[in-house]
Amino acid sequence: MAQEVRGVIAPGKDEPVRIETVVVPDPGPGEAVVRVQACGVCHTDLHYKQGGIGDDFPFLLGHEAAGVVESVGDGVTDVEPGDFVVLNWRAVCGKCRACLRGRPWYCFDTHNAKQRMTLTDGTELSPALGIGAFAEKTLVAAGQCTKVDPAVAPQVAGLLGCGVMAGIGAAINTGNVGRGDSVAVIGCGGVGDAAVAGSRLAGAAKIIAVDIDDRKLETARSMGATHTVNSRETDPVEAIRELTGGFGADVVIEAVGRPETYRQAFYARDLAGTVVLVGVPTPEMKLELPLLDVFGRGGSLKSSWYGDCLPSRDFPMLIDLHLQGRLDLGAFVTETIQLDEVEQAFERMHRGDVLRSVVVL
Ligand code: APR
Ligand code: ZN
Ligand code: ZN
């Protein structure tokens, strides 16, 4: 039987979010209903609210979540009621060209749940990134659920569903940071800090954090940065070269998404280094580079989507590392909040006051 729960809705472009009653249908074949326990507030939710990701209003926000499977539909065998799961927004198909070529994170046939949740008047809701987890319960595809060790707190586990995975994965999966490497991370918000933590995990010898905000640099240090550069005061490319014996970093991770920081990342790498682009630019942004520099610098330039993660491989592994005390995922949770505080959390995020606010249900 369909159930009625409370959820956070973005009703229209730039309108404040509000709590509405959401109708969650029973899971169909291949689907699961999850009782959400925690869901982080991510920039992407704000972009939905601002109309930056299409105008499919009303949106049911929230996509960085963990919870307990309540019920499953026909044919679901990987998870069962009672399982503690982290949700992912990319349930890979396992059959398309990308999946078969061993790059499932580029899957172009992701099997997220169909949009079947509604308001009580029947209005169809668009769940953010196919999840919609600022709600007491949500309907997802079973493949969006990854079972993890229930010993971890839900507000910590949920972070892996998006930003923290994007950052750690940028370092360990896309950038392939190795023992002894020098790494520079440009932009130390939640994603950049996770890249710092991932680089430390991978055994990087030097981790240079770059930001324009001293508060962010301080946090980056606690996550494992060995050096910090305030790029408002110091040219970051020069500083990174100086700190790496004049060569540039083996891996530079850009986690801002602006032309000037893309340029800095391009020039701050060692000639044979790797640039990993995580920051998402807007459609009108452009960057002009001398072709001779593009040709003359070797190494590689990679973009990283969702940290090139494979949830079934990476979520349980990172949670194990956290439980062993080798990765402090709890450090990313600045505050826990209630479902009706999401609007204020967006404001704090906009001011740069928090790494992550996490709604706990
Ligand atoms: N140079 C260096 N740092 C900058 C600059 C700049 N020109 N401009 C902003 N920053 C810093 C901010 O001070 C902040 O610490 O970049 C950081 C951005 O962090 P957040 O706003 O918290 O964003 P985050 O969630 O970390 O995401 C960063 O990654 O996945 C993408 O879409 C996401 O593009 C976004 C990026
Ligand atoms: Zn696929
Ligand atoms: Zn997100």
Side-chain angles (χ1 to χ4, degrees):
M1 230 181 45
Q3 312 182 57
E4 294 191 350
V5 302
R6 295 189 316 142
V8 177
I9 306 299
K13 190 169 160 49
D14 278 329
E15 287 175 38
V17 301
R18 60 171 184 248
I19 300 228
E20 294 267 4
T21 301
V22 174
V23 180
V24 182
D26 278 345
E31 291 177 336
V33 167
V34 173
R35 183 164 56 77
V36 180
Q37 293 179 308
C39 183
V41 181
C42 174
H43 277 85
T44 305
D45 294 307
L46 181 60
H47 291 162
Y48 272 114
K49 169 185 129 112
Q50 293 168 331
I53 314 181
D55 54 3
D56 241 354
F57 292 100
F59 290 106
L60 173 59
L61 299 181
H63 60 274
E64 210 176 78
V68 174
V69 175
E70 183 184 77
S71 55
V72 297
D74 287 345
V76 174
T77 52
D78 286 346
V79 287
E80 56 184 27
D83 281 351
F84 178 59
V85 294
V86 175
L87 302 182
N88 75 74
W89 41 265
R90 207 167 238 199
V92 300
C93 78
K95 291 180 184 152
C96 72
R97 183 174 186 278
C99 284
L100 293 176
R101 302 280 291 165
R103 296 186 286 261
W105 42 87
Y106 287 123
C107 176
F108 24 78
D109 190 19
T110 47
H111 290 188
N112 290 352
K114 300 270 175 319
Q115 297 185 4
R116 298 206 293 120
M117 289 184 278
T118 63
L119 295 176
T120 46
D121 66 1
T123 306
E124 202 174 88
L125 290 169
S126 309
L129 293 175
I131 291 186
F134 285 149
E136 291 158 323
K137 292 178 187 178
T138 191
L139 176 79
V140 292
Q144 292 180 271
C145 300
T146 304
K147 209 176 149 172
V148 298
D149 191 332
V152 65
Q155 62 265 33
V156 170
L159 298 178
L160 289 177
C162 190
V164 170
M165 184 67 247
I168 295 181
I172 66 176
N173 293 333
T174 321
N176 207 8
V177 171
R179 219 173 11 252
D181 278 352
S182 56
V183 180
V185 177
I186 302 179
C188 296
V191 174
D193 274 348
V196 168
S199 301
R200 167 156 78 178
L201 202 58
K206 258 180 208 162
I207 304 171
I208 305 162
V210 180
D211 205 290
I212 49 174
D213 183 338
D214 282 328
R215 292 176 303 170
K216 301 292 176 148
L217 292 173
E218 215 169 287
T219 322
R221 220 174 243 285
S222 72
M223 300 279 180
T226 56
H227 300 79
T228 56
V229 177
N230 184 326
S231 55
R232 264 224 171 100
E233 295 157 2
T234 311
D235 176 353
V237 175
E238 288 298 313
I240 292 165
R241 288 231 179 100
E242 232 165 78
L243 288 165
T244 53
F247 295 110
D250 295 309
V251 182
V252 183
I253 299 169
E254 197 281 358
V256 182
R258 299 192 49 79
E260 66 270 24
T261 45
Y262 265 52
R263 177 188 296 277
Q264 290 161 4
F266 182 81
Y267 285 107
R269 79 176 191 275
D270 178 87
L271 277 184
T274 302
V275 176
V276 178
L277 304 168
V278 191
V280 184
T282 58
E284 70 282 357
M285 287 179 181
K286 291 203 167 66
L287 175 60
E288 201 176 316
L289 289 169
L291 278 186
L292 198 54
D293 287 355
V294 178
F295 172 76
R297 304 181 73 80
S300 59
L301 200 57
K302 293 168 134 185
S303 56
S304 183
W305 303 344
Y306 207 173
D308 285 352
C309 80
L310 198 51
S312 54
R313 176 194 64 193
D314 296 336
F315 293 180
M317 174 199 49
L318 293 171
I319 281 175
D320 283 348
L321 289 169
H322 169 75
L323 290 172
Q324 292 161 16
R326 294 157 69 189
L327 171 68
D328 183 10
L329 293 173
F332 290 91
V333 182
T334 312
E335 58 171 7
T336 55
I337 59 170
Q338 303 294 305
L339 211 46
D340 57 7
E341 295 173 297
V342 169
E343 186 67 36
Q344 295 92 302
F346 280 144
E347 284 160 25
R348 285 194 287 274
M349 183 171 79
H350 191 67
R351 285 197 303 265
D353 293 349
V354 291
L355 277 184
R356 272 296 184 269
S357 306
V358 182
V359 173
V360 174
L361 292 124

PDB file of all heavy atoms in Angstrom, residues 107-130:
ATOM      1  N   CYS A 107      28.719   4.344 -17.236  1.00  0.00           N
ATOM      2  CA  CYS A 107      27.509   3.649 -17.718  1.00  0.00           C
ATOM      3  C   CYS A 107      26.515   4.660 -18.303  1.00  0.00           C
ATOM      4  O   CYS A 107      26.222   5.672 -17.696  1.00  0.00           O
ATOM      5  CB  CYS A 107      26.849   2.902 -16.565  1.00  0.00           C
ATOM      6  SG  CYS A 107      25.298   2.123 -17.021  1.00  0.00           S
ATOM      7  N   PHE A 108      26.017   4.376 -19.517  1.00  0.00           N
ATOM      8  CA  PHE A 108      25.011   5.305 -20.056  1.00  0.00           C
ATOM      9  C   PHE A 108      23.619   4.713 -20.038  1.00  0.00           C
ATOM     10  O   PHE A 108      22.742   5.130 -20.750  1.00  0.00           O
ATOM     11  CB  PHE A 108      25.368   5.828 -21.459  1.00  0.00           C
ATOM     12  CG  PHE A 108      26.286   4.979 -22.269  1.00  0.00           C
ATOM     13  CD1 PHE A 108      25.825   3.841 -22.914  1.00  0.00           C
ATOM     14  CD2 PHE A 108      27.628   5.325 -22.400  1.00  0.00           C
ATOM     15  CE1 PHE A 108      26.686   3.063 -23.659  1.00  0.00           C
ATOM     16  CE2 PHE A 108      28.485   4.543 -23.148  1.00  0.00           C
ATOM     17  CZ  PHE A 108      28.020   3.413 -23.781  1.00  0.00           C
ATOM     18  N   ASP A 109      23.425   3.692 -19.221  1.00  0.00           N
ATOM     19  CA  ASP A 109      22.076   3.155 -19.082  1.00  0.00           C
ATOM     20  C   ASP A 109      21.810   2.895 -17.602  1.00  0.00           C
ATOM     21  O   ASP A 109      21.486   1.769 -17.217  1.00  0.00           O
ATOM     22  CB  ASP A 109      21.950   1.865 -19.912  1.00  0.00           C
ATOM     23  CG  ASP A 109      20.500   1.403 -19.986  1.00  0.00           C
ATOM     24  OD1 ASP A 109      19.614   2.244 -19.727  1.00  0.00           O
ATOM     25  OD2 ASP A 109      20.252   0.225 -20.260  1.00  0.00           O
ATOM     26  N   THR A 110      21.992   3.927 -16.788  1.00  0.00           N
ATOM     27  CA  THR A 110      21.832   3.719 -15.350  1.00  0.00           C
ATOM     28  C   THR A 110      20.372   3.423 -15.025  1.00  0.00           C
ATOM     29  O   THR A 110      19.464   4.037 -15.586  1.00  0.00           O
ATOM     30  CB  THR A 110      22.306   4.947 -14.561  1.00  0.00           C
ATOM     31  OG1 THR A 110      21.741   6.096 -15.160  1.00  0.00           O
ATOM     32  CG2 THR A 110      23.807   5.059 -14.607  1.00  0.00           C
ATOM     33  N   HIS A 111      20.191   2.490 -14.116  1.00  0.00           N
ATOM     34  CA  HIS A 111      18.843   2.043 -13.788  1.00  0.00           C
ATOM     35  C   HIS A 111      18.354   2.641 -12.476  1.00  0.00           C
ATOM     36  O   HIS A 111      18.272   1.965 -11.473  1.00  0.00           O
ATOM     37  CB  HIS A 111      18.813   0.506 -13.725  1.00  0.00           C
ATOM     38  CG  HIS A 111      18.970  -0.104 -15.077  1.00  0.00           C
ATOM     39  ND1 HIS A 111      18.819  -1.445 -15.318  1.00  0.00           N
ATOM     40  CD2 HIS A 111      19.253   0.451 -16.275  1.00  0.00           C
ATOM     41  CE1 HIS A 111      19.015  -1.682 -16.610  1.00  0.00           C
ATOM     42  NE2 HIS A 111      19.295  -0.543 -17.204  1.00  0.00           N
ATOM     43  N   ASN A 112      18.078   3.940 -12.478  1.00  0.00           N
ATOM     44  CA  ASN A 112      17.488   4.553 -11.305  1.00  0.00           C
ATOM     45  C   ASN A 112      15.984   4.287 -11.339  1.00  0.00           C
ATOM     46  O   ASN A 112      15.438   3.930 -12.377  1.00  0.00           O
ATOM     47  CB  ASN A 112      17.764   6.060 -11.298  1.00  0.00           C
ATOM     48  CG  ASN A 112      19.236   6.357 -11.047  1.00  0.00           C
ATOM     49  OD1 ASN A 112      20.006   5.462 -10.731  1.00  0.00           O
ATOM     50  ND2 ASN A 112      19.625   7.601 -11.204  1.00  0.00           N
ATOM     51  N   ALA A 113      15.335   4.477 -10.194  1.00  0.00           N
ATOM     52  CA  ALA A 113      13.894   4.217 -10.138  1.00  0.00           C
ATOM     53  C   ALA A 113      13.154   5.172 -11.067  1.00  0.00           C
ATOM     54  O   ALA A 113      13.587   6.294 -11.308  1.00  0.00           O
ATOM     55  CB  ALA A 113      13.395   4.382  -8.708  1.00  0.00           C
ATOM     56  N   LYS A 114      12.023   4.719 -11.600  1.00  0.00           N
ATOM     57  CA  LYS A 114      11.157   5.608 -12.380  1.00  0.00           C
ATOM     58  C   LYS A 114      10.563   6.643 -11.428  1.00  0.00           C
ATOM     59  O   LYS A 114      10.439   6.387 -10.236  1.00  0.00           O
ATOM     60  CB  LYS A 114      10.004   4.806 -13.007  1.00  0.00           C
ATOM     61  CG  LYS A 114      10.462   3.697 -13.948  1.00  0.00           C
ATOM     62  CD  LYS A 114      10.587   4.220 -15.361  1.00  0.00           C
ATOM     63  CE  LYS A 114      11.161   3.209 -16.327  1.00  0.00           C
ATOM     64  NZ  LYS A 114      12.278   2.388 -15.838  1.00  0.00           N
ATOM     65  N   GLN A 115      10.235   7.818 -11.977  1.00  0.00           N
ATOM     66  CA  GLN A 115       9.660   8.866 -11.120  1.00  0.00           C
ATOM     67  C   GLN A 115       8.220   8.499 -10.803  1.00  0.00           C
ATOM     68  O   GLN A 115       7.329   8.752 -11.597  1.00  0.00           O
ATOM     69  CB  GLN A 115       9.758  10.218 -11.814  1.00  0.00           C
ATOM     70  CG  GLN A 115      11.195  10.619 -12.043  1.00  0.00           C
ATOM     71  CD  GLN A 115      11.326  11.999 -12.618  1.00  0.00           C
ATOM     72  OE1 GLN A 115      10.357  12.723 -12.787  1.00  0.00           O
ATOM     73  NE2 GLN A 115      12.551  12.389 -12.904  1.00  0.00           N
ATOM     74  N   ARG A 116       7.993   7.916  -9.628  1.00  0.00           N
ATOM     75  CA  ARG A 116       6.638   7.471  -9.301  1.00  0.00           C
ATOM     76  C   ARG A 116       6.121   8.073  -8.002  1.00  0.00           C
ATOM     77  O   ARG A 116       5.005   7.806  -7.614  1.00  0.00           O
ATOM     78  CB  ARG A 116       6.603   5.941  -9.203  1.00  0.00           C
ATOM     79  CG  ARG A 116       6.974   5.255 -10.516  1.00  0.00           C
ATOM     80  CD  ARG A 116       6.356   3.872 -10.639  1.00  0.00           C
ATOM     81  NE  ARG A 116       6.897   2.925  -9.680  1.00  0.00           N
ATOM     82  CZ  ARG A 116       6.186   2.284  -8.762  1.00  0.00           C
ATOM     83  NH1 ARG A 116       4.888   2.496  -8.646  1.00  0.00           N
ATOM     84  NH2 ARG A 116       6.757   1.429  -7.946  1.00  0.00           N
ATOM     85  N   MET A 117       6.943   8.878  -7.322  1.00  0.00           N
ATOM     86  CA  MET A 117       6.453   9.497  -6.091  1.00  0.00           C
ATOM     87  C   MET A 117       5.684  10.768  -6.453  1.00  0.00           C
ATOM     88  O   MET A 117       6.022  11.450  -7.426  1.00  0.00           O
ATOM     89  CB  MET A 117       7.625   9.802  -5.156  1.00  0.00           C
ATOM     90  CG  MET A 117       8.232   8.531  -4.566  1.00  0.00           C
ATOM     91  SD  MET A 117       9.543   8.843  -3.381  1.00  0.00           S
ATOM     92  CE  MET A 117      10.935   9.111  -4.458  1.00  0.00           C
ATOM     93  N   THR A 118       4.623  11.072  -5.703  1.00  0.00           N
ATOM     94  CA  THR A 118       3.762  12.211  -6.018  1.00  0.00           C
ATOM     95  C   THR A 118       3.426  13.000  -4.762  1.00  0.00           C
ATOM     96  O   THR A 118       3.677  12.552  -3.646  1.00  0.00           O
ATOM     97  CB  THR A 118       2.414  11.733  -6.625  1.00  0.00           C
ATOM     98  OG1 THR A 118       1.733  10.948  -5.637  1.00  0.00           O
ATOM     99  CG2 THR A 118       2.613  10.904  -7.890  1.00  0.00           C
ATOM    100  N   LEU A 119       2.826  14.182  -4.978  1.00  0.00           N
ATOM    101  CA  LEU A 119       2.186  14.897  -3.868  1.00  0.00           C
ATOM    102  C   LEU A 119       0.798  14.266  -3.694  1.00  0.00           C
ATOM    103  O   LEU A 119       0.370  13.464  -4.533  1.00  0.00           O
ATOM    104  CB  LEU A 119       2.062  16.397  -4.207  1.00  0.00           C
ATOM    105  CG  LEU A 119       3.401  17.144  -4.349  1.00  0.00           C
ATOM    106  CD1 LEU A 119       3.170  18.584  -4.783  1.00  0.00           C
ATOM    107  CD2 LEU A 119       4.161  17.104  -3.021  1.00  0.00           C
ATOM    108  N   THR A 120       0.083  14.643  -2.642  1.00  0.00           N
ATOM    109  CA  THR A 120      -1.216  13.991  -2.386  1.00  0.00           C
ATOM    110  C   THR A 120      -2.243  14.300  -3.480  1.00  0.00           C
ATOM    111  O   THR A 120      -3.176  13.558  -3.686  1.00  0.00           O
ATOM    112  CB  THR A 120      -1.788  14.422  -1.012  1.00  0.00           C
ATOM    113  OG1 THR A 120      -1.664  15.831  -0.906  1.00  0.00           O
ATOM    114  CG2 THR A 120      -1.041  13.753   0.130  1.00  0.00           C
ATOM    115  N   ASP A 121      -2.047  15.424  -4.207  1.00  0.00           N
ATOM    116  CA  ASP A 121      -2.996  15.734  -5.292  1.00  0.00           C
ATOM    117  C   ASP A 121      -2.602  15.043  -6.596  1.00  0.00           C
ATOM    118  O   ASP A 121      -3.173  15.307  -7.645  1.00  0.00           O
ATOM    119  CB  ASP A 121      -3.105  17.254  -5.498  1.00  0.00           C
ATOM    120  CG  ASP A 121      -1.799  17.868  -6.006  1.00  0.00           C
ATOM    121  OD1 ASP A 121      -0.810  17.109  -6.219  1.00  0.00           O
ATOM    122  OD2 ASP A 121      -1.752  19.096  -6.190  1.00  0.00           O
ATOM    123  N   GLY A 122      -1.618  14.185  -6.545  1.00  0.00           N
ATOM    124  CA  GLY A 122      -1.234  13.416  -7.735  1.00  0.00           C
ATOM    125  C   GLY A 122      -0.113  14.040  -8.550  1.00  0.00           C
ATOM    126  O   GLY A 122       0.393  13.428  -9.493  1.00  0.00           O
ATOM    127  N   THR A 123       0.308  15.267  -8.203  1.00  0.00           N
ATOM    128  CA  THR A 123       1.410  15.920  -8.930  1.00  0.00           C
ATOM    129  C   THR A 123       2.669  15.059  -8.859  1.00  0.00           C
ATOM    130  O   THR A 123       3.101  14.676  -7.769  1.00  0.00           O
ATOM    131  CB  THR A 123       1.743  17.299  -8.308  1.00  0.00           C
ATOM    132  OG1 THR A 123       0.559  18.061  -8.262  1.00  0.00           O
ATOM    133  CG2 THR A 123       2.803  18.032  -9.126  1.00  0.00           C
ATOM    134  N   GLU A 124       3.234  14.775 -10.030  1.00  0.00           N
ATOM    135  CA  GLU A 124       4.425  13.929 -10.070  1.00  0.00           C
ATOM    136  C   GLU A 124       5.652  14.690  -9.555  1.00  0.00           C
ATOM    137  O   GLU A 124       5.868  15.837  -9.930  1.00  0.00           O
ATOM    138  CB  GLU A 124       4.661  13.497 -11.509  1.00  0.00           C
ATOM    139  CG  GLU A 124       5.488  12.250 -11.647  1.00  0.00           C
ATOM    140  CD  GLU A 124       5.553  11.791 -13.094  1.00  0.00           C
ATOM    141  OE1 GLU A 124       6.465  12.259 -13.801  1.00  0.00           O
ATOM    142  OE2 GLU A 124       4.694  10.999 -13.513  1.00  0.00           O
ATOM    143  N   LEU A 125       6.455  14.048  -8.715  1.00  0.00           N
ATOM    144  CA  LEU A 125       7.661  14.678  -8.176  1.00  0.00           C
ATOM    145  C   LEU A 125       8.888  14.214  -8.945  1.00  0.00           C
ATOM    146  O   LEU A 125       8.948  13.076  -9.404  1.00  0.00           O
ATOM    147  CB  LEU A 125       7.832  14.295  -6.700  1.00  0.00           C
ATOM    148  CG  LEU A 125       6.823  14.894  -5.726  1.00  0.00           C
ATOM    149  CD1 LEU A 125       6.956  14.222  -4.366  1.00  0.00           C
ATOM    150  CD2 LEU A 125       7.038  16.401  -5.604  1.00  0.00           C
ATOM    151  N   SER A 126       9.882  15.106  -9.072  1.00  0.00           N
ATOM    152  CA  SER A 126      11.158  14.708  -9.664  1.00  0.00           C
ATOM    153  C   SER A 126      12.165  14.553  -8.525  1.00  0.00           C
ATOM    154  O   SER A 126      12.595  15.554  -7.937  1.00  0.00           O
ATOM    155  CB  SER A 126      11.663  15.791 -10.625  1.00  0.00           C
ATOM    156  OG  SER A 126      10.662  16.133 -11.536  1.00  0.00           O
ATOM    157  N   PRO A 127      12.536  13.341  -8.204  1.00  0.00           N
ATOM    158  CA  PRO A 127      13.493  13.157  -7.107  1.00  0.00           C
ATOM    159  C   PRO A 127      14.895  13.569  -7.553  1.00  0.00           C
ATOM    160  O   PRO A 127      15.348  13.184  -8.633  1.00  0.00           O
ATOM    161  CB  PRO A 127      13.444  11.651  -6.827  1.00  0.00           C
ATOM    162  CG  PRO A 127      12.358  11.082  -7.688  1.00  0.00           C
ATOM    163  CD  PRO A 127      12.096  12.059  -8.788  1.00  0.00           C
ATOM    164  N   ALA A 128      15.585  14.361  -6.717  1.00  0.00           N
ATOM    165  CA  ALA A 128      16.933  14.838  -7.054  1.00  0.00           C
ATOM    166  C   ALA A 128      17.851  13.652  -7.334  1.00  0.00           C
ATOM    167  O   ALA A 128      17.942  12.727  -6.518  1.00  0.00           O
ATOM    168  CB  ALA A 128      17.484  15.670  -5.895  1.00  0.00           C
ATOM    169  N   LEU A 129      18.516  13.693  -8.475  1.00  0.00           N
ATOM    170  CA  LEU A 129      19.431  12.632  -8.910  1.00  0.00           C
ATOM    171  C   LEU A 129      18.817  11.237  -8.774  1.00  0.00           C
ATOM    172  O   LEU A 129      19.492  10.256  -8.463  1.00  0.00           O
ATOM    173  CB  LEU A 129      20.754  12.697  -8.141  1.00  0.00           C
ATOM    174  CG  LEU A 129      21.607  13.945  -8.425  1.00  0.00           C
ATOM    175  CD1 LEU A 129      22.837  13.977  -7.527  1.00  0.00           C
ATOM    176  CD2 LEU A 129      22.033  14.009  -9.889  1.00  0.00           C
ATOM    177  N   GLY A 130      17.494  11.168  -9.002  1.00  0.00           N
ATOM    178  CA  GLY A 130      16.825   9.859  -8.964  1.00  0.00           C
ATOM    179  C   GLY A 130      16.752   9.275  -7.570  1.00  0.00           C
ATOM    180  O   GLY A 130      16.553   8.068  -7.412  1.00  0.00           O
TER     181      GLY A 130
END
